Amino acid sequence: MASTVDEDDREPAMESGEADDGIVVREVCANGISIKTTEVEAKLDEGNIQEAESSLREGLSLNFEEARALLGKLEYQRGNVEGALRVFDGIDLQAAIQRLQPCIADKTPPKKGRSRSESQHAVSQHAANLVLEAIYLKVKSLQKLGRVTEAADECTSVLDAVEKIFHQGIPDGQVDSRLQDTVSQAVELLPELWKQAGCFQEAISAYRRALLSQWNLNNESCARIQKGFAVFLLYSGVEAGPPSLAVQLEGSYVPKNNLEEAILLLMVLVKKCYLGKIKWDPSVMEHLIYALSLCSQTSVLAKQLEEVMPGVYHRVDRWKSLALCYCAAGQNKIALNLLRKSLHKHEQPDDVAALLLAAKICSEDPYLAAEGVGYAQRALSNCIENEEHLKGVGLRLLGLCLGKQAKMSSSDFERSRLQSEALKSLEAASGLESNNLDLMLELGVQYSEYRNLNAALQYAKKFIDETGGSVLKGWQLLALVLSAQKRFSEAEVVTDAAMDETTKWEQGPLLRLKAKLKVSQSLHMDAIETYRYLLALVQAQKKSFGPLRIVPQVEDDKVNEFEVWNGLANLYSSLSHWKDAEICLGKARELKEFSPEVLHTEGLMCEGRVKIQEALAAYINALLLEPTYVPCKVLIGALWSKAGPDALPIARSLLSDALRLDPTNRKAWFYLGVIHRDEGRMADAIDCFQAAAMLEESDPIESFSSVL
């Protein structure tokens, strides 16, 4: 170890040089004197530790502890770990620290120039460094010999000694750099030793001591400790628990669990990278991505990715990562725009993963379905031969996009063709991924929507068998298919069985189905009781989360308080219980003031009271809020169909548009048949009435698509 030593520097140092014959010569320097280590090493090789120590004491004017410490350091550097440990064991290091403590603890007087007390202070620091370094090297020796617990205890003694010497923490800029290096190395090493020893709670305490005590660590050393602690919290499987009350500052945020504490540490590290305090470490961002994904906070992750300086990530990689974040957060529009940029012909237009993600986003929106078909087809054409899984995913997404595109088709022939292609793609995907449960459910829903109820029933039962009845959506689909087959009592048995298999908080969708099944069987009072129970469940769930509930990025449960009140209002309206209906509608309006569902219910109430103009106004307002809201289009068309011959073309246009959006709406077919009959087109009227009758025979209590 090469070093330059001032004349006043009493700390011994090792120097290496090269003689004329090319042989490496090692020297030890202290007090302005240097001696060659050849003689000392020869005595060590003979096992004469005391003679070697005497040579150093006489040659360099050192005391016993300094000579022994230097001798142990020499043995350690020669690779003789056991010999170094024997030398270190012969020193009472704690006694030496106690003697040095009052000398170093004295404050240096604020005088210019180098006073006597300053020189003594520097001498004491050098002596302390030599002793502390000896303990640190003893720790390293024990670690190399596998005596990890002893090494951790000795390392703890180093830090205890430093805290005794510096009661108020190590002062910034007033400590010798070599003493600071020894302290920093010991602080970093201690938690690693406890981890190697399997003492994980001690490791956690060591990490927190390293980060909360005043060790005057530099940015890089502190960052390594923070990263090590964050990685330990994320992957160790040991629950750390919150820091002790003694170190919690009033008003400060205290993490509740490992994940929160790890995220805080990683975000601090990322911030340091942005500010240029430490070098960029890509693994820190990888750990942060994992941690934030675990708690479904991908919108926070997106913000972190956006703050990364340009040049760290390739722009296309950043766009794709951001798209994943925003997609998981339910912000599909932003995600799709980012993917469009990454798939531009001048960027990476053939990236299969990006194409599949874009197709997935498009498969959820009928207006983007045609674009999604293009992405899925491009993904399939770019899959290589052995990528069967990606081909299966591509075919599945192609089928979903084609199914959504069929709903937007204005031509019956085109709609039929797209539906057929959608089913072919999904069946082909099933051939490649026969165990894909999502695909199994989607095939069941597709067959249900095309009114192939027998096939849908088989897929629903298969899904429940494969999942062991643990997934709510399988039960929902089975109950809806049975309701479409008018097997209401069996559907109710299914919902009861499903509630036995699910937790209380998951029963909302099932209770909603049960209430609608009661209505279908004209058991209105039972339906009201079920709705009341559902409302109590929603309220209890709301209270259990408390006022500071963190709303999930994408609400997975399809039942909420608004839907319950609106459903009750509809039910009371059908029974002409107007006062109760108004109360429930008012509660729903408080939760969602501007809603086509509320206006639809209000219109039904007005129509039930023969307030036709008010009903028509409510339906029109609903369409102004949501132009594609089919139930109000149908009801407006129905009202206009009764307004005389001049209004029939308007009614026919509205009902045709409603059927374009929802070809399985039996009420639209019925009222369109009435218009054709009134206008004298009997053949068309018969076709419409037949379609309405067929759909009524297979009409579920709610849309099949509500399952997905």
Side-chain angles (χ1 to χ4, degrees), residues 211-319:
L211 295 174
L212 295 172
S213 299
Q214 182 58 45
W215 303 112
N216 196 29
L217 303 174
N218 61 36
N219 286 325
E220 294 293 339
S221 181
C222 184
R224 285 193 294 270
I225 295 169
Q226 288 171 326
K227 178 184 172 183
F229 191 22
V231 169
F232 179 80
L233 290 168
L234 280 177
Y235 309 112
S236 68
V238 179
E239 186 57 44
S244 63
L245 293 173
V247 298
Q248 293 182 22
L249 298 176
E250 186 177 352
S252 62
Y253 177 77
V254 180
K256 300 178 185 65
N257 51 47
N258 285 27
L259 191 57
E260 284 191 12
E261 193 165 1
I263 289 171
L264 287 173
L265 288 167
L266 292 168
M267 291 182 78
V268 167
L269 285 171
V270 171
K271 194 72 174 177
K272 286 182 178 179
C273 292
Y274 297 158
L275 297 174
K277 292 182 178 180
I278 59 175
K279 294 178 182 177
W280 173 255
D281 183 354
S283 66
V284 171
M285 183 58 77
E286 290 170 8
H287 294 309
L288 184 59
I289 289 171
Y290 171 72
L292 288 171
S293 299
L294 278 182
C295 57
S296 300
Q297 292 299 318
T298 54
S299 55
V300 178
L301 177 57
K303 186 176 184 297
Q304 294 295 318
L305 288 167
E306 286 171 347
E307 290 180 356
V308 176
M309 295 297 289
V312 173
Y313 292 117
H314 190 282
R315 63 178 179 274
V316 175
D317 293 334
R318 192 200 298 250
W319 290 337

Side-chain angles (χ1 to χ4, degrees), residues 586-601:
K587 293 285 188 181
R589 189 176 279 114
E590 286 176 10
L591 295 167
K592 198 183 288 188
E593 185 176 359
F594 301 105
S595 164
E597 291 88 353
V598 167
L599 290 166
H600 174 251
T601 305

Side-chain angles (χ1 to χ4, degrees), residues 311-365:
V312 173
Y313 292 117
H314 190 282
R315 63 178 179 274
V316 175
D317 293 334
R318 192 200 298 250
W319 290 337
K320 288 190 288 188
S321 298
L322 284 170
L324 279 169
C325 292
Y326 284 120
C327 181
Q331 300 182 47
N332 286 345
K333 186 176 180 181
I334 299 173
L336 186 58
N337 285 334
L338 288 163
L339 290 169
R340 285 166 177 158
K341 291 169 68 174
S342 72
L343 293 169
H344 190 271
K345 63 180 180 180
H346 296 309
E347 300 295 346
Q348 295 180 11
D350 298 329
D351 186 283
V352 174
L355 287 165
L356 291 175
L357 181 57
K360 178 185 180 299
I361 294 171
C362 292
S363 71
E364 298 171 9
D365 187 343

Side-chain angles (χ1 to χ4, degrees), residues 314-619:
H314 190 282
R315 63 178 179 274
V316 175
D317 293 334
R318 192 200 298 250
W319 290 337
K320 288 190 288 188
S321 298
L322 284 170
L324 279 169
C325 292
Y326 284 120
C327 181
Q331 300 182 47
N332 286 345
K333 186 176 180 181
I334 299 173
L336 186 58
N337 285 334
L338 288 163
L339 290 169
R340 285 166 177 158
K341 291 169 68 174
S342 72
L343 293 169
H344 190 271
K345 63 180 180 180
H346 296 309
E347 300 295 346
Q348 295 180 11
D350 298 329
D351 186 283
V352 174
L355 287 165
L356 291 175
L357 181 57
K360 178 185 180 299
I361 294 171
C362 292
S363 71
E364 298 171 9
D365 187 343
Y367 292 97
L368 297 171
E371 183 180 354
V373 169
Y375 290 134
Q377 289 172 338
R378 283 166 58 187
L380 287 168
S381 63
N382 283 290
C383 284
I384 58 178
E385 299 233 346
N386 58 351
E387 292 180 335
E388 296 296 322
H389 170 64
L390 291 180
K391 287 180 182 177
V393 174
L395 285 167
R396 172 191 165 202
L397 292 172
L398 178 61
L400 293 175
C401 289
L402 287 167
K404 282 287 196 301
Q405 188 182 5
K407 292 183 178 181
M408 300 301 296
S409 176
S410 57
S411 162
D412 290 339
F413 173 78
E414 182 69 10
R415 184 184 304 116
S416 178
R417 183 185 68 81
L418 290 171
Q419 288 175 350
S420 176
E421 289 184 11
L423 282 174
K424 283 181 183 177
S425 294
L426 290 173
E427 291 287 3
S430 181
L432 294 172
E433 295 194 289
S434 57
N435 296 322
N436 189 321
L437 296 176
D438 290 333
L439 179 56
M440 203 178 294
L441 187 71
E442 286 156 358
L443 269 166
V445 172
Q446 290 282 348
Y447 276 116
S448 300
E449 290 185 331
Y450 303 152
R451 295 304 192 265
N452 188 341
L453 297 181
N454 289 328
L457 191 66
Q458 293 304 314
Y459 275 108
K461 288 180 178 178
K462 185 179 178 183
F463 182 85
I464 291 172
D465 289 340
E466 292 290 333
T467 58
S470 61
V471 180
L472 182 65
K473 292 180 178 181
W475 294 106
Q476 286 178 264
L477 179 59
L478 181 57
L480 287 175
V481 173
L482 289 171
S483 74
Q485 293 178 332
K486 307 309 174 192
R487 296 156 66 181
F488 297 118
S489 58
E490 292 178 57
E492 196 171 340
V493 170
V494 166
T495 58
D496 290 337
M499 283 193 279
D500 291 337
E501 297 291 330
T502 54
T503 62
K504 181 174 71 172
W505 301 126
E506 295 177 308
Q507 291 176 0
L510 295 170
L511 287 168
R512 179 185 64 193
L513 285 177
K514 190 168 183 177
K516 292 183 178 181
L517 285 168
K518 295 288 188 184
V519 172
S520 299
Q521 298 172 82
S522 300
L523 301 172
H524 297 102
M525 298 313 296
D526 290 347
I528 290 172
E529 194 60 34
T530 305
Y531 266 121
R532 284 175 177 167
Y533 184 77
L534 176 55
L535 183 61
L537 178 65
V538 172
Q539 295 286 1
Q541 189 172 9
K542 193 174 171 185
K543 285 182 181 178
S544 71
F545 284 112
L548 299 179
R549 177 193 177 192
I550 298 175
V551 179
Q553 298 183 104
V554 181
E555 289 285 357
D556 199 29
D557 57 333
K558 302 281 194 307
V559 173
N560 54 41
E561 190 177 356
F562 166 78
E563 289 185 355
V564 179
W565 286 117
N566 193 55
L568 268 172
N570 268 309
L571 180 52
Y572 281 126
S573 177
S574 67
L575 297 173
S576 301
H577 293 180
W578 306 118
K579 187 175 180 181
D580 292 331
E582 285 175 357
I583 292 171
C584 294
L585 189 63
K587 293 285 188 181
R589 189 176 279 114
E590 286 176 10
L591 295 167
K592 198 183 288 188
E593 185 176 359
F594 301 105
S595 164
E597 291 88 353
V598 167
L599 290 166
H600 174 251
T601 305
E602 183 184 334
L604 288 174
M605 290 169 60
C606 291
E607 201 171 343
R609 293 172 170 181
V610 201
K611 298 179 180 179
I612 303 303
Q613 292 303 318
E614 289 88 337
L616 192 59
Y619 298 146

Side-chain angles (χ1 to χ4, degrees), residues 616-629:
L616 192 59
Y619 298 146
I620 291 172
N621 287 334
L623 287 183
L624 291 174
L625 284 175
E626 190 175 322
T628 58
Y629 192 64

